[in-house]
Amino acid sequence: GEVNALITEVLQDTTRKESEDLGRTIYRYTKGNIFFTIQLLQSLSEENLLIRHNGEWDTRKIEETPISEDVTEFLKTKLQRFDPEMQELLKIIACLGAEVEELLIYHLVEAETAKSIISIAEDKELVTTHRGNVYFAHDCIQLASLALIP
């Protein structure tokens, strides 16, 4: 399916046949949602859970790892791994909307700190900036940021 094709594309050193078990495992969590699949693959890679033995993907460790099947909850857990300053800024931006003027953010958070955090958030593909505005890279990231608010 699409998930298996994406895995083969992203993990370039694997064939469709080799990635079938991994694809089935990923699909169980993501139900084919491509955005969720990409996010999950990134997290599994960052946590060193994409392991191969003799050409076969070892899905055992992935299956033993608690992973939410809800994309917003999954992303919320991912965001909770970032430092508190990043989380606070994402919450502020999320409350202001899907598109926020950088100058407004600088009125709420010290400008140099905000610029630094926004740059890191861009590197992590959480937000993008364009013509003085900050945008969430995906609406699910905004929802997950809002979910960080107690």
Side-chain angles (χ1 to χ4, degrees), residues 16 23 27 33 35-36 52-53 56 65 69 72 79 83 85 97 101 107-108 113 116 119 125 133 136 138 150:
R16 282 183 80 105
Y27 186 87
N33 179 314
F35 173 75
F36 192 2
R52 285 173 76 165
H53 297 291
E56 301 279 320
T65 303
E69 293 180 16
T72 303
L79 295 178
D83 65 53
E85 283 184 324
E101 289 183 35
H107 284 293
L108 301 171
T113 300
S116 173
S119 175
E125 299 178 355
N133 292 315
F136 280 97
H138 195 281

Side-chain angles (χ1 to χ4, degrees), residues 136-148:
F136 280 97
H138 195 281
D139 61 333
C140 290
I141 298 170
Q142 182 181 8
L143 292 174
S145 298
L146 288 169
L148 291 172

Side-chain angles (χ1 to χ4, degrees), residues 19-37:
S19 65
E20 284 177 357
D21 287 343
L22 180 60
R24 277 192 291 277
T25 301
I26 300 292
Y27 186 87
R28 254 184 273 150
Y29 297 106
T30 67
K31 307 298 185 261
N33 179 314
I34 297 300
F35 173 75
F36 192 2
T37 299

Side-chain angles (χ1 to χ4, degrees), residues 93 96-106 118 122 127-137:
I93 296 170
L96 296 172
E99 174 184 348
V100 182
E101 289 183 35
E102 286 180 272
L103 291 176
L104 176 58
I105 297 167
Y106 303 156
I118 289 169
E122 269 190 298
V127 300
T128 59
T129 58
H130 183 68
R131 296 186 177 172
N133 292 315
V134 177
Y135 304 84
F136 280 97

